[in-house]
Amino acid sequence: MNNYISKRLTWLGLVMCCAISTNALGQNPLGNVELSIQHVQGSVYMIMRPGGGGNIGASIGEDGVLLVDSLFEPMAESLVRAVRSVSDGPIRFLINTHVHPDHVGGNEPLRDQGVLIFAHDNTRSRFLLERNRYPRQGGSFAPQPSAGARPEITFDSEVGFHVNGEEVRAFLAPPAHTDGDVFVYFPESDVLHLGDVFRTTSYPIMDLYNGGSLRGTIAALDLAIDMAGPNTKVIPGHGLEIVDRNSMIEFRDMILDVRAQVLSMLREGMHLDEVMAANITAGYDAKWGQEAGWTAIDFVPIVYYELGGSGRLEDR
Ligand SMILES: [Zn+2]
């Protein structure tokens, strides 16, 4: 068994043992998770769960509350409690950065409380599919979200929210994580929420089932880096750290380095298993290989195929 396949089997074992499910009493363990809230800068806060996946941005001030993403449905009560710990104002708006369940799961309970939900057209279109496919667990399927979870207002390029003393801008990014990725910029607070295009704990996920791409990931990060100044705070989609422009540059440069190495191996005619055996991410794994469900063995093949590599491991 080569190293790549043995790592893959290890990963599958991890996924199987750690799959989220209801327990014997029918309770969803996600409902027991307590979210925390942290001030970022200006009017913006970050609401996070232990481990930091699906980080929520929140503009909180005299006009009420605008949320960016809604985590998993069972966490909705805890999400509202986190907001209430700093504000009694109405939760008015919710922007979904993309379609994944850890970013839209709280939509329906929030909508039931009168929150208006916004997303890109491409994101809403996937709420209408009978089932959705996601990159983790080798392309797992998830059932259709309920009708009540669908964003009510969609846009094709950009929308502005004039709240809490600034024009919050939500706009379509190049197709990176999905083809409905929305970045949200809070200009006076000087905070960027990049959804899952940027993460501090894992390699980038290019969700090929939902329109993501390597090329778009690099373009989207370039755009975010261009927008950010020295004092800009950045909320990553995954990871507990609030970071800055330099962290985005480091992440982008890692991707460019991996891309360049894979390209050079392709030009030498190397097959995917030879590329994987070369372990080109060894110097990066300690930083970006922290999420068991998405490591170099998931990331590097996507780079390989998007750069024109062909064939599958079993073809040899
Ligand atoms: Zn995602």
Side-chain angles (χ1 to χ4, degrees):
M1 188 185 297
N2 71 24
N3 194 35
Y4 171 69
I5 294 174
S6 110
K7 276 190 183 171
R8 165 64 67 176
L9 290 176
T10 305
W11 176 77
L12 280 173
L14 277 170
V15 167
M16 290 171 76
C17 86
C18 303
I20 293 164
S21 60
T22 53
N23 63 20
L25 298 173
Q27 297 164 331
N28 190 320
L30 294 176
N32 298 326
V33 170
E34 198 59 30
L35 306 185
S36 58
I37 186 164
Q38 181 178 345
H39 184 231
V40 178
Q41 191 159 263
S43 303
V44 181
Y45 292 74
M46 171 172 158
I47 299 169
M48 65 207 104
R49 62 173 165 137
N55 293 331
I56 292 172
S59 167
I60 297 178
E62 59 185 14
D63 298 321
V65 180
L66 173 149
L67 297 174
V68 182
D69 286 338
S70 61
L71 260 165
F72 289 108
E73 182 169 12
M75 298 177 181
E77 284 182 23
S78 183
L79 164 54
V80 173
R81 273 199 302 277
V83 171
R84 290 288 161 255
S85 70
V86 294
S87 169
D88 292 328
I91 303 175
R92 298 173 63 193
F93 307 116
L94 164 63
I95 305 164
N96 291 149
T97 60
H98 64 291
V99 71
H100 289 157
D102 54 338
H103 295 260
V104 305
N107 278 16
E108 184 164 21
L110 289 169
R111 178 193 159 120
D112 288 346
Q113 297 182 27
V115 179
L116 268 180
I117 306 174
F118 294 73
H120 186 263
D121 296 330
N122 292 346
T123 294
R124 189 179 193 278
S125 68
R126 296 211 167 77
F127 281 77
L128 309 181
L129 301 175
E130 281 186 20
R131 59 180 190 167
N132 284 284
R133 196 167 188 188
Y134 298 114
R136 287 177 188 266
Q137 300 175 36
S140 54
F141 288 97
Q144 184 177 31
S146 64
R150 294 172 187 165
E152 295 166 279
I153 300 168
T154 62
F155 53 95
D156 67 358
S157 59
E158 180 166 349
V159 62
F161 298 82
H162 300 264
V163 292
N164 299 332
E166 59 189 330
E167 182 185 356
V168 180
R169 291 174 50 216
F171 57 95
L172 181 68
H177 184 59
T178 72
D179 61 9
D181 293 332
V182 165
F183 285 171
V184 182
Y185 184 52
F186 304 85
E188 299 301 323
S189 299
D190 199 6
V191 176
L192 261 172
H193 188 301
L194 302 181
D196 278 359
V197 175
F198 175 65
R199 16 197 339 125
T200 60
T201 51
S202 84
Y203 293 106
I205 296 180
M206 290 77 87
D207 177 355
L208 305 182
Y209 303 108
N210 291 292
S213 67
L214 170 67
R215 186 190 181 96
T217 295
I218 294 166
L221 288 167
D222 282 343
L223 174 68
I225 291 164
D226 279 351
M227 287 183 65
N231 299 317
T232 304
K233 301 291 186 196
V234 180
I235 299 176
H238 288 241
L240 289 168
E241 278 180 281
I242 295 162
V243 292
D244 60 14
R245 186 173 187 269
N246 289 335
S247 293
M248 296 193 292
I249 291 172
E250 188 184 10
F251 187 64
R252 190 264 324 261
D253 288 352
M254 173 272 293
I255 297 167
L256 289 177
D257 179 42
V258 171
R259 181 186 184 280
Q261 291 192 65
V262 172
L263 195 56
S264 135
M265 291 175 165
L266 273 167
R267 286 180 176 144
E268 291 170 23
M270 289 172 71
H271 200 269
L272 177 58
D273 58 358
E274 294 168 310
V275 173
M276 298 311 294
N279 200 15
I280 56 179
T281 60
Y284 299 125
D285 287 345
K287 183 168 177 62
W288 287 293
Q290 300 173 40
E291 285 189 28
W294 195 266
T295 62
I297 63 172
D298 305 287
F299 165 54
V300 176
I302 292 177
V303 175
Y304 172 87
Y305 287 122
E306 186 163 325
L307 293 175
S310 60
R312 298 154 60 97
L313 281 173
E314 54 266 37
D315 291 342
R316 297 198 85 198

